[in-house]
Amino acid sequence: MDYVSALVPPVVMATLFTALIVTIVKSQGGPNKAKEDAIADAVIAREAAARGTSRDN
């Protein structure tokens, strides 16, 4: 029975790691992708605008 107790931690860790990867893959894209992209574009545009105004001054 020592082999069972030796195999349980790696199996549990592999299962949790697989669940993590599946969650990450499922959260990519979908209906929130456009919203996330819009937020990122707004941040980039704001930074570019700030740099543009600081150069003029």
Side-chain angles (χ1 to χ4, degrees), residues 5 7 9 14 22-24 28-29 33 35-36 38 40-41 53-56:
S5 63
L7 289 175
V22 168
T23 303
I24 290 172
Q28 300 298 311
K33 184 172 181 3
K35 189 167 106 175
E36 293 169 357
D41 290 341
T53 57
S54 65
R55 287 182 189 162
D56 295 338

Side-chain angles (χ1 to χ4, degrees), residues 31-46:
N32 290 329
K33 184 172 181 3
K35 189 167 106 175
E36 293 169 357
D37 288 346
I39 292 170
D41 290 341
V43 169
I44 292 170
R46 189 178 340 157

Side-chain angles (χ1 to χ4, degrees), residues 10-26:
V11 170
V12 170
M13 290 177 64
T15 304
L16 292 176
F17 182 72
T18 302
L20 175 68
I21 297 301
V22 168
T23 303
I24 290 172
V25 169
K26 283 186 176 182

